[in-house]
Amino acid sequence: MNKQSGTTTEDTQQKITRKVSVAVIGAGTAGQNAFRQASKIKDDVVIINEGFWTTTCIAVGCMPSKLLIAAADRAHDANNSSEFGIHATAKINGKQVMGRVRDERNHFASYIKKQVDSWPDHKKIAGRAHINKKGLIEVNDELIEAEQIIVATGSSPFMPEGWADKLGDTMLTSDTVFELPDLPKSMVVIGAGAIGLELAQAFTRLGVEVTIFNRAKRVAGLKDDDINNKAIDCLSHELTMHLGSKITDVGTKKNEGNEIAFVEYEDSAGESQQWQGEYVLVATGRRNNIKQLGIENLGVELDDKNRPKDLSKKTGQIGDLNVYIVGDANANIPLLHVASDEGYSAGNMVCENTEAAYIRPPATPFSIVFCSPQIVNIGRSLPDIQQDSSLEFVIGSASFDNQGRSRVMGVNCGLLHIYGCKKTDRILGASMVGPDAEYIGHIIATAITNDLCVKALLDTPFYHPTILEGLRTALRDVQYKMEIPFQSQDAQEDNS
């Protein structure tokens, strides 16, 4: 690192407290995997971390949100089973609900803590790392020279400037919402992405009065208009959503001696409105945590959104630098399985174990939103496919509004689109809102990853009666449309 910064060993020798082969900054999913892999080959590896020594998924993400959703689903089933002849009203103990979320989260975290505790103490440094202009890592009272650096500093909730000061204690994020001691009476959720939808629906089902705002008339980042419209239709049965609205101000005010939050906004018709309630949950996405790290002092260039340029999506390496940025820190695909693969791969790369580093090809894009009905996107998006003039594609469709098992279960609202390539008989991508979407999505992702043709998928058994039979319906539609003479997709839709 000193050679890159133009300094000599003599210039910095007295200041350096230790020299290591590899320094991993950040102890989330990617960082822990990188540290474990590098430690198998190199003995002088250190890991530096500020805050909790666990993962975003376990502490504030996947696991606590799914625990909240699990409680919400039970309440929803109890309160909404009259069509089956079962009449009941759920009695919800908010303190117990939130207590279980934290207890079970801590249970999952204990396994990570046990693993971290097993690492040698001299290889773990708790503190905020900063890379100085000489390319050295400053942390606490140490100055570390590392031959290779892996940055895995994760991400944090993004919020508009000034909102934290204006909202004070009435503001929540996905990092703080699970610390609520009890269920609130009312809440507004800003953002209709994955985090916003999941939490808004869960709190709604647990008896909280929830309103969602989103600037775009879209949910879950859906890019297929038909799927987006269907998702809005399905979710609107229980969620109050103001889509296409613009937030103009936020703050707090006194109401009968209590401090409450307010949100001023313009609705989709351009009319000025105001919401008032207990909490404002800001779910406007997450941003990587590398802005204050000093990563530019290693020769790493960032774009205007703090995303590293010249990034290898296979290994996280930046150009030919001895620097790797993995997991949420690189702002590539902020999903746990991607962070895990990137950390594993980088941990091998820094030790020149390149065969193990390339453990798998780049993952097929795959995202799931665990609302009800679920939303999945797999492979290439519809706009991406439409922009590729070399492709002759068709869209196979299946509605779940009257699909057999879905109707039996009373979860019959949904739509699946599969984008098939006529020339190759392969699936290019898919988008879906509907029941069991997480499982249908996995099957489609497996087909894309393993280059399976549509016929091969249709040759596999589809057990009756299952919701997965809806996948067969969409695949048959793809196959049928592939067999007819090609015409533009617009024309096909017009004739359907």
Side-chain angles (χ1 to χ4, degrees):
M1 287 302 164
N2 286 334
K3 290 181 180 180
Q4 294 177 2
S5 61
T7 62
T8 66
T9 303
E10 291 180 355
D11 294 331
T12 58
Q13 186 65 52
Q14 293 181 342
K15 299 180 181 179
I16 296 172
T17 57
R18 69 168 105 177
K19 296 183 179 181
V20 297
S21 296
V22 183
V24 180
I25 304 175
T29 299
Q32 290 190 22
N33 268 0
F35 177 76
R36 283 195 298 268
Q37 293 309 116
S39 296
K40 291 178 181 179
I41 303 171
K42 300 283 187 178
D43 186 56
D44 58 337
V45 179
V46 296
I47 184 167
I48 306 163
N49 186 65
E50 181 185 25
F52 51 78
W53 287 73
T54 180
T55 68
T56 296
C57 172
I58 287 178
V60 295
C62 318
M63 303 313 288
S65 64
K66 301 312 166 287
L67 286 161
L68 189 72
I69 289 170
D73 287 348
R74 281 161 174 74
H76 178 77
D77 288 344
N79 288 326
N80 294 274
S81 296
S82 59
E83 66 175 295
F84 298 94
I86 299 171
H87 303 271
T89 301
K91 183 179 180 181
I92 300 170
N93 184 321
K95 291 182 179 179
Q96 188 175 352
V97 168
M98 298 308 296
R100 181 179 185 271
V101 168
R102 288 188 291 273
D103 288 346
E104 288 299 308
R105 174 194 64 184
N106 295 340
H107 172 76
F108 291 121
S110 67
Y111 293 102
I112 301 294
K113 185 178 184 300
K114 184 177 180 180
Q115 184 179 83
V116 171
D117 287 345
S118 70
W119 298 343
D121 288 339
H122 71 278
K123 293 187 176 184
K124 297 178 292 186
I125 303 174
R128 173 176 291 190
H130 177 75
I131 299 169
N132 65 25
K133 292 183 178 180
K134 294 180 179 180
L136 303 173
I137 302 171
E138 300 173 353
V139 54
N140 302 332
D141 57 352
E142 289 213 56
L143 193 61
I144 302 171
E145 180 182 20
E147 294 177 12
Q148 315 237 30
I149 295 177
I150 299 176
V151 177
T153 46
S155 62
S156 299
F158 170 80
M159 65 192 70
E161 186 176 354
W163 280 26
D165 292 333
K166 289 183 176 182
L167 290 168
D169 292 338
T170 68
M171 190 187 79
L172 297 171
T173 70
S174 56
D175 279 6
T176 62
V177 67
F178 303 112
E179 304 310 315
L180 286 172
D182 199 349
L183 293 169
K185 293 181 180 179
S186 60
M187 173 188 297
V188 69
V189 177
I190 310 295
I195 296 172
L197 281 182
E198 289 181 3
L199 294 179
Q201 187 178 57
F203 279 113
T204 295
R205 290 183 165 190
L206 289 166
V208 181
E209 184 181 317
V210 180
T211 301
I212 303 177
F213 291 100
N214 201 54
R215 187 160 190 166
K217 292 183 178 181
R218 292 189 177 276
V219 296
L222 286 167
K223 297 180 180 180
D224 184 318
D225 289 343
D226 290 341
I227 303 297
N228 179 66
N229 292 336
K230 188 62 181 179
I232 293 171
D233 175 58
C234 294
L235 292 167
S236 293
H237 292 302
E238 58 179 305
L239 294 179
T240 300
M241 298 189 288
H242 293 294
L243 305 178
S245 59
K246 179 183 178 181
I247 307 297
T248 57
D249 197 15
V250 298
T252 61
K253 61 173 66 175
K254 293 291 185 179
N255 182 24
E256 298 181 355
N258 298 318
E259 186 175 52
I260 63 169
F262 70 83
V263 174
E264 294 180 354
Y265 66 98
E266 292 181 3
D267 61 23
S268 57
E271 298 290 329
S272 296
Q273 307 282 355
Q274 187 183 82
W275 173 93
Q276 296 182 18
E278 281 191 70
Y279 289 103
V280 175
L281 172 57
V282 182
T284 49
R286 298 179 70 90
R287 300 292 187 272
N288 61 8
N289 291 330
I290 62 177
K291 188 174 183 180
Q292 307 299 323
L293 184 60
I295 195 74
E296 70 279 359
N297 291 324
L298 296 175
V300 177
E301 293 186 51
L302 304 177
D303 64 16
D304 58 354
K305 295 184 179 179
N306 294 323
R307 296 173 301 195
K309 298 179 180 179
D310 204 15
L311 171 76
S312 168
K313 293 186 179 180
K314 284 187 176 180
T315 64
Q317 185 173 9
I318 305 298
D320 59 358
L321 298 175
N322 293 330
V323 183
Y324 300 76
I325 304 181
V326 294
D328 287 6
N330 66 33
N332 176 25
I333 303 176
L335 297 173
L336 182 139
H337 68 277
V338 177
S340 178
D341 289 342
E342 290 178 352
Y344 188 102
S345 186
N348 284 296
M349 281 293 293
V350 295
C351 300
E352 299 182 355
N353 185 13
T354 55
E355 182 177 350
Y358 294 92
I359 55 172
R360 57 181 292 178
T364 298
F366 183 19
S367 65
I368 305 174
V369 182
F370 292 91
C371 54
S372 181
Q374 295 173 341
I375 297 170
V376 298
N377 288 292
I378 315 102
R380 297 178 67 174
S381 69
L382 181 56
D384 179 46
I385 294 169
Q386 289 171 328
Q387 290 171 11
D388 190 339
S389 59
S390 67
L391 289 177
E392 294 184 6
F393 71 96
V394 300
I395 300 179
S397 180
S399 171
F400 287 81
D401 293 359
N402 204 36
Q403 196 269 336
R405 183 64 183 276
S406 300
R407 190 169 182 84
V408 166
M409 303 295 290
V411 290
N412 50 310
C413 190
L415 178 66
L416 167 62
H417 276 178
I418 296 178
Y419 318 126
C421 179
K422 290 195 71 169
K423 290 182 179 180
T424 64
D425 191 37
R426 299 301 193 270
I427 296 174
L428 299 168
S431 187
M432 175 182 177
V433 56
D436 278 0
E438 60 182 296
Y439 307 114
I440 291 174
H442 272 93
I443 293 172
I444 296 173
T446 298
I448 295 174
T449 301
N450 293 281
D451 199 30
L452 299 179
C453 66
V454 172
K455 182 181 183 303
L457 279 173
L458 283 170
D459 285 344
T460 61
F462 286 84
Y463 204 89
H464 176 77
T466 63
I467 293 175
L468 291 175
E469 287 177 297
L471 171 59
R472 181 179 60 187
T473 300
L475 289 170
R476 284 175 172 171
D477 195 33
V478 169
Q479 188 177 62
Y480 167 74
K481 289 176 178 176
M482 283 181 172
E483 292 172 352
I484 63 177
F486 180 74
Q487 53 186 317
S488 72
Q489 189 61 39
D490 290 339
Q492 288 182 34
E493 291 174 349
D494 290 341
N495 293 333
S496 62

